Amino acid sequence: MAVVNYIHTRGHISTKVGEEMKLEDIKTIAVLGAGTMGHGIAQICAMAGFNVNLMDIKEEILKGAMEKIKWSLSKFVEKRRISQEQADQAFSRIKTMTSLEEAVKNADFVIEAVPENLDLKKKVFADVDKNAPPHTIIASNTSSLPIPEMADATNRPDKVVGMHFFNPPQMMLLVEVISHDKCSEDTVKVTVDLAKKLGKVPIIVRKYVPGFVVNRILGAYTWEAAWMVYRGEATPVEIDSALMYKVGLPMGPFELADLVGLDIYVAQEKMAPLLQKYEPRPRPICPLFSEYVKEGKLGRKVGKGFYEYKKTEAGWERPSIPREAGEKIDPVWIMALAVNEAAALIRTGIATRDDIETGVKLGLGFPRGILEMADEWGIDRIVEVLREKQKKYPDLKDVYEPDPLLVDMVNKGQLGKKSGKGFYDYEKPTEFRTIIAKKEPPIGWIILNRPERLNAINAEMIEEISRALDMFEEDKDVRVVVFKGAGDRAFSAGADVTTFRFQPPAFNTAVFTFRMHRLTQKIEWYPKIVIAAINGYALGGGLELAMACDLRIASDKSQLGQPEVNLGIIPGWGGTQRLARIVGPAKAKELCLLGERIPAEEAYKLGLVNKVVPAEKFDEEVKNFAMRIAEGAPLAQRAIKYAVNFGWQAPLSTGLMLEAMGLALAANTKDAIEGVTAFLQKRKPKFKGE
Ligand code: COA
């Protein structure tokens, strides 16, 4: 039965007929436009189990799209992320059509991915509105155009939303969900839920602003960098080098522009007048990109842009960007404006701190959040740089005006890491950035949380894990600690190799290694039992961390290995040592020398993991396993752990002595009395760890 709902959307009230939509109500998704983005989006929708109507204007475009989907699905199968059967099923869920009316008439959710032309989009939205059922949500995958205007082209503005995927949608985890004044909260919620169901990480943009979150931040530092080059203050290679080696970005703005195509940037610049009224702080366009385009330097696709490119059999070579090139450049000088934009997004309630951080990490490959970096640079320093720029370029005074949030932070002494508080609170021991520490008594979870880098371990993660262990050690409710990786692809793919680019002096490498040794040994000395729950890759440092744990449980789709030799290095966090002690020296040498990954089943046969469970039941099985440990006698467990950990490396006599001491200690506990009493009374013991 139809009901009438009144939806309050920040002052706006709209009337809508029909039940509220929920994720479960979505069965069929129409994807309009089968270009680069469209076919990728159709594929992931089908992989998530939805029926897909993929529509484009020409049969041959659709045919090409289906071929690309087939190829991409085969890559997923090759990488063992899905089975051949799952790929076939996904493929068969996609129907192609050239009629919009037919594509949307039974669709519960529509994703528009037609070319970036506002008039065209408005027309498509009006047509969809006419032909789709009343409950259907219409989302645009635009990366820049005003969503409110698309909403106004329909009679259901509350059900129009932005859903911005990143290219290629099959691989990129991020999705920006863009709300606007007339959009209902339900629409945002369903879109967020759908993004999650597609295996993506959604961030919410509360109000339409050009560039949303990710391209707004990218746009700010690209603009700054472009003017620096245009004014002759720096060269592209100097800027790219500074951002790569000093900030850790995967590539600087000029190499990225070459990759994307400078003509695309110029086309974007041409849209500026259309977006002007939504732009809180317009910036004058830098002529640099259009000058390059005029000279035919469009970027990598033509072999020259800001850099020259050589094509080899393996594809285009990356340009040489030496580390020394950026030595003179202060990265804060390039990034201050981007931090200012991020601050404005928070202050105006458009995005949260955490969503911004997720956005730059997943969308731009930042090694850390931009606000985390700002805290390290110092909020006062950011404001100071912006003010210096205001003085230096008086005609850009408004552009460089420090955001009131930053000024307020400085006034309150919230200067970042050095003052203990900035965008993050450094005095709050429970605030983590690279892990999630979650208590679910009697289990304490430590979730390695850098899914965008397959949970690769960096210095900060080592420090945070150590802090989380301390926290759970004190906590009486926690009996067992379980390590797990965020997402469903990896426990951890090892040490973060992007930090290797810094080519640190040997001594620093050693110090970084010692830190991890301190952590793995802390786990071995830890008074509670620690389990590694491996769901996906456990490679390099990931496996080394898992090997320091007391027990390892793996999903059947996991792969384990020490691949360092493939990078021309060797395991550094105990791989050659603990692995040899667990599987024996010959097998350990084989694994380290070949650097190959082995499946969970084989690891089980080698004694490297204690148990293998089906991936679909992983969470449940891990919990059951941890609960069984948590029910045991904690002090006796500790004595066993120490006797094994420290006895196996020692002569048998010393090991036996450790065991005797452990027994003597355990036998003198209340738990021992409880254990024996319960046995005699034929009941289950209740151990208290006393
Ligand atoms: N450090 C930093 N980033 C890593 C990483 C690591 N150890 N392992 C994976 N990543 C990143 C990738 O660079 C990629 O980032 P991008 O999306 O910005 O390009 C992302 O995680 C996903 O990995 P990708 O390689 O695209 O996935 P895949 O399914 O093709 O391959 C692996 C997965 C694990 C086989 C592959 O990533 C790999 O070999 N990683 C390195 C493992 C290693 O050598 N570890 C020891 C380090 S000492």
Side-chain angles (χ1 to χ4, degrees):
M1 190 183 66
V3 289
V4 176
N5 288 320
Y6 295 95
I7 307 159
H8 297 257
T9 55
R10 273 161 280 119
H12 162 88
I13 298 179
S14 78
T15 313
K16 117 176 178 170
V17 178
E19 299 279 352
E20 292 309 347
M21 263 264 276
K22 293 197 196 67
L23 176 65
E24 304 79 75
D25 301 329
I26 304 177
K27 304 278 182 268
T28 300
I29 298 178
V31 179
L32 310 179
T36 327
M37 296 301 285
H39 80 259
I41 296 170
Q43 177 184 335
I44 52 174
C45 291
M47 285 168 75
F50 297 102
N51 298 320
V52 179
N53 295 341
L54 177 59
M55 180 257 161
D56 208 310
I57 45 173
K58 285 199 190 120
E59 279 296 348
E60 62 256 40
I61 300 179
L62 288 165
K63 210 166 142 233
M66 289 309 277
E67 265 159 32
K68 286 186 196 134
I69 292 174
K70 190 164 230 166
W71 177 85
S72 171
L73 284 168
S74 76
K75 284 278 150 200
F76 274 85
V77 175
E78 216 173 86
K79 288 195 172 183
R80 300 175 50 179
R81 288 181 60 183
I82 57 171
S83 65
Q84 185 60 50
E85 196 190 341
Q86 286 167 321
D88 294 342
Q89 281 170 359
F91 194 74
S92 70
R93 282 190 205 106
I94 307 174
K95 283 202 205 107
T96 57
M97 43 200 78
T98 48
S99 147
L100 181 140
E101 190 186 332
E102 196 192 336
V104 304
K105 72 173 185 230
N106 67 341
D108 308 296
F109 200 100
V110 175
I111 304 174
E112 167 277 310
V114 306
E116 292 282 83
N117 172 326
L118 188 56
D119 289 333
L120 172 66
K121 295 215 184 225
K122 283 199 217 165
K123 183 171 176 338
V124 168
F125 269 72
D127 285 352
V128 175
D129 186 37
K130 267 188 228 114
N131 293 294
H135 69 272
T136 304
I137 291 176
I138 322 173
S140 173
N141 177 51
T142 182
S143 58
S144 59
L145 294 169
I147 314 242
E149 294 183 33
M150 298 175 213
D152 284 340
T154 72
N155 289 313
R156 59 177 102 191
D158 56 314
K159 293 201 194 70
V160 171
V161 69
M163 190 177 194
H164 179 218
F165 290 84
F166 286 72
N167 194 14
Q170 299 94 322
M171 305 305 294
M172 296 288 282
L173 283 177
L174 189 67
V175 169
E176 288 174 311
V177 173
I178 304 103
S179 183
H180 52 93
D181 285 349
K182 294 181 188 165
C183 182
S184 80
E185 276 308 309
D186 284 315
T187 299
V188 173
K189 184 171 182 312
V190 173
T191 311
V192 163
D193 289 347
L194 174 63
K196 288 186 186 158
K197 175 89 189 183
L198 300 179
K200 302 291 157 193
V201 180
I203 62 171
I204 301 180
V205 186
R206 286 266 154 223
K207 188 181 152 206
Y208 170 76
V209 273
F212 314 143
V213 167
V214 173
N215 285 333
R216 214 166 161 73
I217 288 171
L218 170 67
Y221 68 80
T222 304
W223 180 87
E224 186 70 70
W227 277 105
M228 282 172 75
V229 170
Y230 189 73
R231 292 186 199 116
E233 294 166 0
T235 62
V237 70
E238 285 171 350
I239 290 178
D240 281 356
S241 166
L243 292 183
M244 276 170 67
Y245 295 104
K246 291 185 179 169
V247 181
L249 303 196
M251 66 175 68
F254 297 106
E255 191 187 353
L256 181 65
D258 273 357
L259 181 67
V260 174
L262 270 60
D263 47 335
I264 308 275
Y265 278 54
V266 171
Q268 190 70 32
E269 287 171 359
K270 294 217 171 97
M271 281 188 205
L274 210 62
L275 311 180
Q276 190 87 0
K277 67 174 169 186
Y278 300 97
E279 184 52 73
R281 213 189 324 215
R283 290 188 290 257
I285 290 168
C286 176
L288 186 75
F289 286 92
S290 48
E291 283 187 2
Y292 269 72
V293 168
K294 266 186 223 138
E295 289 171 31
K297 295 179 179 167
L298 305 186
R300 191 188 283 200
K301 61 187 167 195
V302 297
K304 60 178 186 248
F306 290 109
Y307 300 94
E308 301 256 326
Y309 294 87
K310 266 197 254 128
K311 199 166 192 177
T312 64
E313 273 187 8
W316 293 105
E317 251 177 24
R318 273 189 81 169
S320 140
I321 300 176
R323 179 184 157 79
E324 312 76 66
E327 252 160 26
K328 289 197 308 278
I329 306 281
D330 174 3
V332 182
W333 197 255
I334 313 168
M335 298 299 285
L337 192 68
V339 174
N340 211 35
E341 282 298 345
L345 288 170
I346 297 177
R347 179 181 49 80
T348 51
I350 293 176
T352 62
R353 176 197 75 181
D354 291 349
D355 276 359
I356 292 174
E357 302 292 65
T358 303
V360 297
K361 285 193 261 183
L362 296 185
L364 301 171
F366 275 36
R368 295 177 302 149
I370 187 165
L371 300 165
E372 222 179 310
M373 293 185 194
D375 272 358
E376 215 142 273
W377 292 325
I379 308 302
D380 48 343
R381 170 103 181 95
I382 304 281
V383 171
E384 193 183 284
V385 166
L386 291 167
R387 294 215 162 116
E388 270 179 56
K389 283 181 187 262
Q390 281 185 306
K391 265 197 222 130
K392 204 164 167 197
Y393 312 110
D395 48 331
L396 296 174
K397 196 165 174 296
D398 290 347
V399 172
Y400 288 121
E401 182 64 30
D403 191 82
L405 175 64
L406 295 181
V407 176
D408 190 45
M409 286 170 78
V410 172
N411 291 341
K412 286 186 184 143
Q414 295 170 0
L415 308 181
K417 213 164 187 177
K418 62 185 168 194
S419 73
K421 192 165 166 41
F423 284 103
Y424 291 86
D425 193 341
Y426 297 88
E427 275 151 11
K428 228 161 84 191
T430 49
E431 195 167 32
F432 298 114
R433 284 169 290 279
T434 61
I435 62 165
I436 298 169
K438 196 168 73 174
K439 198 168 107 174
E440 222 176 63
I443 304 172
W445 296 95
I446 298 183
I447 303 171
L448 313 179
N449 190 28
R450 302 181 74 217
E452 70 284 3
R453 298 248 156 142
L454 300 181
N455 305 317
I457 302 169
N458 59 11
E460 190 169 17
M461 190 186 277
I462 296 176
E463 185 271 324
E464 291 192 348
I465 293 175
S466 177
R467 230 165 359 110
L469 284 170
D470 288 343
M471 207 172 81
F472 287 145
E473 181 172 348
E474 306 283 309
D475 195 326
K476 284 211 158 44
D477 295 341
V478 173
R479 287 244 179 132
V480 53
V481 173
V482 183
F483 279 102
K484 202 178 124 166
D488 61 357
R489 295 198 54 205
F491 174 74
S492 166
D496 187 332
V497 292
T498 58
T499 59
F500 296 176
R501 246 198 339 240
F502 296 117
Q503 295 166 352
F507 195 73
N508 288 2
T509 310
V511 169
F512 181 47
T513 310
F514 297 157
R515 270 195 221 158
M516 187 67 177
H517 288 333
R518 280 211 302 270
L519 177 66
T520 49
Q521 296 214 339
K522 183 172 187 160
I523 296 171
E524 287 168 339
W525 280 96
Y526 199 65
K528 301 181 184 186
I529 300 300
V530 183
I531 300 174
I534 301 171
N535 190 15
Y537 295 116
L539 303 176
L543 179 57
E544 290 169 316
L545 174 66
M547 285 194 293
C549 297
D550 302 305
L551 298 160
R552 286 165 287 284
I553 174 166
S555 80
D556 55 3
K557 65 162 214 187
S558 299
Q559 295 184 38
L560 298 82
Q562 296 289 162
E564 288 84 351
V565 73
N566 302 326
L567 303 174
I569 55 172
I570 80 163
W573 292 343
T576 59
Q577 301 303 301
R578 290 194 183 87
L579 185 59
R581 285 166 163 85
I582 297 172
V583 303
K587 199 72 204 176
K589 272 194 243 170
E590 182 188 325
L591 289 170
C592 292
L593 289 173
L594 292 176
E596 282 171 356
R597 306 193 289 266
I598 56 167
E601 273 305 332
E602 194 178 332
Y604 175 72
K605 284 187 200 134
L606 292 173
L608 186 52
V609 298
N610 300 79
K611 199 172 158 69
V612 179
V613 299
E616 316 78 75
K617 289 197 177 160
F618 184 70
D619 287 340
E620 187 189 325
E621 293 273 2
V622 167
K623 226 177 203 173
N624 291 343
F625 192 62
M627 291 304 277
R628 273 169 55 206
I629 294 289
E631 279 170 8
L635 298 174
Q637 286 177 340
R638 188 185 308 177
I640 292 169
K641 165 171 176 165
Y642 290 163
V644 174
N645 279 357
F646 308 122
W648 75 341
Q649 322 168 21
L652 182 65
S653 51
T654 311
L656 291 173
M657 181 56 94
L658 278 176
E659 188 179 272
M661 292 299 161
L663 171 62
L665 288 172
N668 264 295
T669 60
K670 285 187 189 159
D671 280 352
I673 299 172
E674 165 65 8
V676 175
T677 312
F679 174 76
L680 296 175
Q681 292 175 352
K682 300 199 187 311
R683 65 173 168 84
K684 219 175 149 191
K686 272 194 129 169
F687 296 117
K688 291 191 179 142
E690 291 171 5

